[in-house]
C-alpha cells in the first residue's frame, strides 16, 4: 500500500462527455503527477501539481486539465472525451518536485470511452 | 524528444536464475533513474531507484547505472515465479516529470 488513493477505480463514459478523476496523495506529500497508460505502453506524463499550481506538463491537449487542493489532493478533468482516451489513469505523489524524489502510484482509474 | 528504450520481451528466465533487464535513455542530463514493477491490471510499484554511477543493491535486486553510456539495468537474483511482471524503467527529466519506457515483460519459468 502506497497511501495514494484514486477514485473511481473503473469508469465508462461516452465519446464527447467530460470526466473527473480524483487522487488523494500520501500523507506529507505536496506534489502530485498524473499519467496516462494505454494498453501495452508505459505511463505517459500528463502534468504535475505542486502546492496547488501546475508545475510541468507533457504533450497533452488543453482538454486535459487539473487542480490541486490545499490538502494536496488532486483532480484530473478531461473534456470532450475521445475513444483514444481509454486508458489507465495513474496518479503519483511525491514529497516534492525535483531530483532524487521517488514517486508512489495509486491503484489507478480504468477509463473506457465508448 | 526525450526517450527511454527497453526491450519489450518477453524475457523468459528459469526459476532461481538471474534475470537481467536493460534500459537506455536519450537525455544526457538525466540524474534520477527508477525501476518499477507492474503486475497485469495493477499500478506500477517502485522497487529501485539510483542516482549515482555504479551498483545499488537491495535484497535480490541490483540496479546498475552508467551515465557515460546512458544505460541503466536491473538484475534480479534467485528469480521467483512472483517476479513475473512487466518492469518499467523510468528517468526523471528536469525537475517535474518522469519519462517511462514501454516496459519489459519478464516470465519466470517454474
Amino acid at each position: 500500500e502506497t497511501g495514494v488513493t484514486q477514485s473511481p477505480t473503473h469508469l465508462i463514459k461516452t465519446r464527447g462527455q467530460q470526466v473527473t478523476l480524483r487522487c488523494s496523495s500520501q500523507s506529507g506529500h505536496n506534489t502530485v503527477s498524473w499519467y496516462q497508460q494505454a494498453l501495452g505502453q508505459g505511463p505517459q506524463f500528463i502534468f504535475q501539481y505542486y502546492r496547488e499550481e501546475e508545475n510541468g506538463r507533457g504533450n497533452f491537449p488543453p482538454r486535459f486539465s487539473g487542480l490541486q487542493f490545499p490538502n494536496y489532493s488532486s483532480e484530473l478533468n478531461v473534456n470532450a472525451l475521445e475513444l483514444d482516451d481509454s486508458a489507465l489513469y495513474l496518479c503519483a505523489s511525491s514529497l516534492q518536485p525535483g531530483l532524487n524524489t521517488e514517486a508512489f502510484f495509486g491503484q489507478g482509474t480504468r477509463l473506457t470511452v465508448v | 524528444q526525450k526517450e527511454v528504450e527497453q526491450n519489450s520481451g518477453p524475457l523468459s528466465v528459469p526459476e532461481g536464475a538471474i534475470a537481467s533487464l536493460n534500459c537506455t535513455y536519450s537525455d544526457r542530463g538525466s540524474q534520477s533513474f527508477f525501476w518499477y514493477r507492474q503486475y497485469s491490471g495493477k499500478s506500477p510499484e517502485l522497487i529501485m531507484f539510483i542516482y549515482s554511477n555504479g551498483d545499488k543493491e537491495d535484497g535480490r535486486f541490483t540496479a546498475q547505472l552508467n551515465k557515460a553510456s546512458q544505460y541503466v539495468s536491473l538484475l534480479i537474483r534467485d528469480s521467483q515465479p512472483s517476479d513475473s511482471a512487466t518492469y518499467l524503467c523510468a528517468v526523471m527529466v528536469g525537475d517535474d516529470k518522469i519519462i517511462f519506457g514501454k516496459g519489459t515483460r519478464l516470465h519466470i519459468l517454474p
Side-chain angles (χ1 to χ4, degrees):
Chain A
E1 290 291 330
T2 63
V4 182
T5 58
Q6 293 185 242
S7 62
T9 54
H10 296 83
L11 200 52
I12 299 175
K13 287 286 191 178
T14 303
R15 190 171 52 182
Q17 285 189 310
Q18 179 266 343
V19 70
T20 297
L21 310 181
R22 295 179 175 82
C23 171
S24 294
S25 59
Q26 189 176 121
S27 177
H29 286 190
N30 59 23
T31 302
V32 172
S33 302
W34 286 92
Y35 293 82
Q36 179 195 68
Q37 187 176 22
L39 204 60
Q41 302 294 314
Q44 298 289 312
F45 176 75
I46 303 175
F47 43 56
Q48 182 185 83
Y49 278 83
Y50 170 58
R51 292 186 173 178
E52 303 178 57
E53 292 195 2
E54 188 177 290
N55 188 50
R57 191 178 181 93
N59 296 325
F60 280 80
R63 58 190 186 84
F64 286 79
S65 63
L67 278 175
Q68 188 179 32
F69 300 98
N71 66 356
Y72 303 131
S73 65
S74 178
E75 285 182 355
L76 164 65
N77 299 291
V78 187
N79 293 322
L81 283 166
E82 301 176 359
L83 296 178
D84 285 349
D85 295 333
S86 295
L88 179 67
Y89 287 85
L90 295 161
C91 157
S93 81
S94 52
L95 198 56
Q96 58 188 20
L99 302 178
N100 304 341
T101 301
E102 304 125 66
F104 298 94
F105 284 89
Q107 81 279 18
T109 294
R110 174 74 62 187
L111 173 65
T112 302
V113 182
V114 297
Chain B
Q1 181 79 3
K2 298 185 177 16
E3 295 182 343
V4 176
E5 299 287 343
Q6 295 181 257
N7 188 321
S8 63
L11 174 65
S12 295
V13 173
E15 184 176 355
I18 296 175
S20 178
L21 304 163
N22 304 315
C23 171
T24 58
Y25 59 94
S26 63
D27 182 13
R28 186 168 288 278
S30 298
Q31 297 187 41
S32 303
F33 307 87
F34 308 88
W35 283 99
Y36 285 84
R37 177 176 63 199
Q38 187 172 28
Y39 293 113
S40 181
K42 303 295 185 182
S43 62
E45 172 192 8
L46 179 66
I47 54 172
M48 287 288 286
F49 58 91
I50 186 167
Y51 313 126
S52 304
N53 270 330
D55 295 359
K56 179 181 178 182
E57 187 174 317
D58 183 1
R60 297 187 295 113
F61 299 98
T62 300
Q64 299 175 317
L65 175 61
N66 184 325
K67 290 184 181 180
S69 300
Q70 294 175 238
Y71 174 93
V72 58
S73 65
L74 179 70
L75 302 177
I76 306 174
R77 290 182 299 282
D78 188 22
S79 296
Q80 303 296 310
S82 60
D83 295 327
S84 297
T86 295
Y87 288 80
L88 298 163
C89 172
V91 176
M92 181 160 280
V93 175
D95 65 355
D96 61 359
K97 65 182 173 184
I98 298 176
I99 306 295
F100 283 84
K102 292 184 178 181
T104 298
R105 284 180 295 140
L106 174 65
H107 181 50
I108 306 301
L109 303 169

